[in-house]
Amino acid sequence: MIDCIIIGAGPGGYETALYAAKKGLNVTLIEKEALGGTCLNKGCIPTKTLLYASEKMSDAKLDELGIQASKTIDLTQLQTYKNQIIAQLQKGIAASLKKAHVQVIMKEAKIMDEHHVRVEDEILEAKNIIIATGSKSIRPSFMPDLKGVMTSDELLNNDKPIQHLVIIGGGVIGVEFASIYHNLNTKITILEAKEQLLPNMDKEIAQNLKMIFKKRGIEVHTSAFVTKIEEGLNVSFMEKEALQTIACDALLVAVGRSACSDHLFEDESPLMDKGRILVNEAYQTSWPSVYAIGDVNGQLQLAHAAAAQGKNVIHHILNEKMPYDLSNTPNCVYCEPEIAAVGLSESEAKALGYEVKVSKGLTSANGKSVLSQQDRGFVKLISDAKTQKLLGAQLMCARASDMISELTLAIQCELTLEQIAHIIYPHPTISEVIQAASEN
Ligand code: NAD
């Protein structure tokens, strides 16, 4: 019998499959579309590829350096490059799975019961089933089927210049695409229903981002409610009780993602809530031999969280302690400047009853930030005033997504501000801002 059937080959599924195989389990991985899932095919990797290219294209400050660069971009060539990157990474995943002797089936799976999965005419039996089917872009009822109205799935494949892009939803996907297309010289308008951009992030970060975006000419409307989208395209929205209409040639709807659980079960299913598969602290569904990890359980919609949950599941199956602490999961937004956070924010720490100390370091005094023409940014450290231990960190600066790992480690190892300050930081680096913050 198969030890473990894993359904879905995104970072949750394929990383869990490799981990399980390394631990000696006999694994079958089933995928109906493409290896790599959303992250590799229509999420993290293609977005960051476009962002990387668009940053090269953005010549906002090149004149200052004496560089005269061309302002044109061949979007068809960029799409070719993006697709090459996806293909190259897919090959790498396929090779790793082959080397680890994971059986890969590229077909649709249907779960029949707690131990059986149907793949076309074949019925597979397994001791455990791990669901890692991910999520899909929400298409809200106000989203019409008109040319130019897209989710991130379609916009990622766009090879036509866009004059004016309206983005509905100023969450993670919204601000990342705003950065990409602003760099490509497209006019951007963001319509966000909540009071701030990135509603789940620290308020100070959101305010700064709005300010930086506005300074660059990106129009940001918060507390803005879309009422109508008409052919043309014309988008109407209410802001502070005033109705406004703007014309654009492309519209991105980025209002969240929902779990992919439809058509997954042949008959009965374990407990679900609005499509999310409910799980306990070991990611077990109400059917104990069936687990659900990643976006499909709706806990944390992050690739690295899915992989960590999956690895914990393998330990649970093997009756071992689960080693990954998901409460210490870093969260990164790849806009410009980058944003990264881990642990508790100031308000979360206060709500938990901590006597909170907030220490800040600014990039305006950091040599590497200044010489590389970065926008003003900061590193904010949240610590327990009594023990000095680091509880959380929020960064808004270049390389934030790289530097957050150091602070994740510091929280995991329960380091104090003083211990962080007493590390020797190489000069000149942006990481010196962490030291500056920890000394404050
Ligand atoms: P999100 O939840 O981050 O943001 C959606 C935004 O849309 C919210 O700010 C919400 O207030 C707003 N909104 C909802 N309905 C609206 C309406 N009718 N009008 C205007 N605004 C409206 O969702 P997302 O940006 O679509 O991203 C989906 C998921 O994918 C997120 O959970 C995110 O964490 C994940 N993701 C992560 C990364 C990353 O880690 N860098 C990148 C992309 C996506």
Side-chain angles (χ1 to χ4, degrees):
M1 203 195 302
I2 300 167
D3 289 322
C4 208
I5 288 181
I6 302 176
I7 305 175
Y14 78 76
E15 289 220 25
T16 303
L18 292 171
Y19 199 73
K22 203 169 148 198
K23 288 262 183 192
L25 297 181
N26 162 353
V27 188
T28 295
L29 177 65
I30 311 176
E31 166 60 56
K32 66 176 177 175
E33 285 178 25
L35 287 182
T38 300
C39 172
L40 175 54
N41 297 285
K42 39 191 174 183
C44 322
I45 298 296
T47 329
K48 272 79 237 173
T49 308
L50 297 189
L51 189 63
Y52 171 75
S54 79
E55 282 169 358
K56 303 260 172 227
M57 159 84 178
S58 165
D59 59 357
K61 299 171 194 163
L62 290 183
D63 293 353
E64 220 174 291
L65 305 177
I67 300 170
Q68 269 102 52
S70 150
K71 279 190 181 178
T72 57
I73 183 160
D74 178 346
L75 289 172
T76 312
Q77 173 57 32
L78 178 56
Q79 283 295 326
T80 304
Y81 177 73
K82 181 205 78 181
N83 294 335
Q84 275 169 357
I85 297 294
I86 294 173
Q88 183 182 335
L89 293 174
Q90 254 171 9
K91 256 196 210 161
I93 296 170
S96 304
L97 290 167
K98 192 172 172 198
K99 196 168 158 212
H101 304 292
V102 172
Q103 189 196 6
V104 179
I105 302 177
M106 295 302 291
K107 286 180 184 163
E108 183 167 8
K110 291 241 181 230
I111 300 175
M112 300 170 71
D113 59 33
E114 295 179 47
H115 294 285
H116 296 91
V117 173
R118 187 190 300 279
V119 182
E120 293 179 350
D121 296 334
E122 198 183 351
I123 294 174
L124 304 176
E125 187 177 17
K127 290 183 195 154
N128 300 283
I129 298 169
I130 302 176
I131 303 169
T133 48
S135 64
K136 54 183 183 293
S137 301
I138 292 176
R139 291 175 177 267
S141 53
F142 63 74
M143 183 179 173
D145 191 12
L146 291 175
K147 191 168 173 275
V149 178
M150 296 172 268
T151 67
S152 58
D153 293 355
E154 294 87 42
L155 189 53
L156 274 175
N157 292 327
N158 172 57
D159 60 1
K160 305 275 178 303
I162 297 174
Q163 303 305 317
H164 185 182
L165 173 67
V166 171
I167 300 176
I168 302 181
V172 187
I173 294 182
V175 302
E176 290 188 355
F177 273 96
S179 287
I180 294 170
Y181 273 90
H182 170 72
N183 288 342
L184 298 179
N185 297 325
T186 294
K187 177 176 164 49
I188 308 287
T189 304
I190 302 177
L191 304 178
E192 165 57 49
K194 298 245 172 80
E195 282 172 4
Q196 65 171 60
L197 289 176
L198 301 173
N200 299 329
M201 280 271 174
D202 179 72
K203 201 169 176 184
E204 188 180 0
I205 284 189
Q207 281 167 347
N208 270 280
L209 184 65
K210 188 173 179 181
M211 218 169 59
I212 290 170
F213 271 7
K214 282 191 157 175
K215 208 172 107 196
R216 287 189 195 146
I218 295 176
E219 220 177 289
V220 180
H221 298 268
T222 45
S223 304
F225 298 90
V226 177
T227 55
K228 215 175 352 170
I229 301 165
E230 291 171 306
E231 206 153 357
L233 296 163
N234 292 306
V235 184
S236 302
F237 62 98
M238 290 288 287
E239 187 185 8
K240 295 191 187 105
E241 292 174 21
L243 185 66
Q244 302 183 46
T245 300
I246 39 178
C248 61
D249 53 338
L251 180 76
L252 168 66
V253 180
V255 295
R257 298 181 61 85
S258 62
C260 287
S261 59
D262 26 328
H263 315 299
L264 181 60
F265 297 95
E266 202 161 78
D267 201 355
E268 283 177 57
S269 72
L271 290 178
M272 299 211 268
D273 174 31
K274 296 186 194 103
R276 290 184 309 129
I277 302 179
L278 300 177
V279 293
N280 65 13
E281 62 291 344
Y283 307 100
Q284 260 171 320
T285 68
S286 55
W287 293 355
S289 58
V290 178
Y291 297 79
I293 60 162
D295 288 15
V296 76
N297 70 26
Q299 292 187 352
L300 276 171
Q301 292 188 329
L302 296 167
H304 45 283
Q309 290 175 1
K311 290 173 186 174
N312 271 347
V313 165
I314 300 307
H315 286 278
H316 189 260
I317 288 172
L318 295 170
N319 287 319
E320 295 169 3
K321 188 173 174 282
M322 297 189 292
Y324 292 90
D325 173 8
L326 271 293
S327 69
N328 197 21
T329 304
N331 189 358
C332 303
V333 188
Y334 299 83
C335 51
E336 265 189 280
E338 285 189 346
I339 294 167
V342 68
L344 300 177
S345 66
E346 184 179 349
S347 55
E348 285 168 342
K350 280 184 180 157
L352 286 172
Y354 283 103
E355 198 182 308
V356 176
K357 179 177 176 198
V358 179
S359 320
K360 241 169 123 180
L362 301 178
T363 57
S364 50
N366 173 268
K368 189 70 182 285
S369 297
V370 174
L371 74 85
S372 57
Q373 302 172 295
Q374 303 300 330
D375 280 298
R376 286 171 64 110
F378 59 86
V379 168
K380 195 156 115 178
L381 302 180
I382 312 299
S383 57
D384 179 344
K386 282 191 187 142
T387 63
Q388 290 278 311
K389 282 184 185 165
L390 187 68
L391 300 171
Q394 290 88 44
L395 280 61
M396 183 173 198
C397 55
R399 311 298 292 267
S401 65
D402 293 315
M403 298 195 300
I404 199 69
S405 295
E406 172 181 334
L407 295 161
T408 308
L409 184 68
I411 295 173
Q412 198 73 31
C413 298
E414 302 189 10
L415 296 188
T416 63
L417 283 189
E418 195 179 32
Q419 286 172 312
I420 295 168
H422 288 169
I423 291 165
I424 298 172
Y425 291 77
H427 176 77
T429 57
I430 296 173
S431 68
E432 289 170 284
V433 187
I434 295 177
Q435 187 172 40
S438 60
E439 284 170 344
N440 284 332

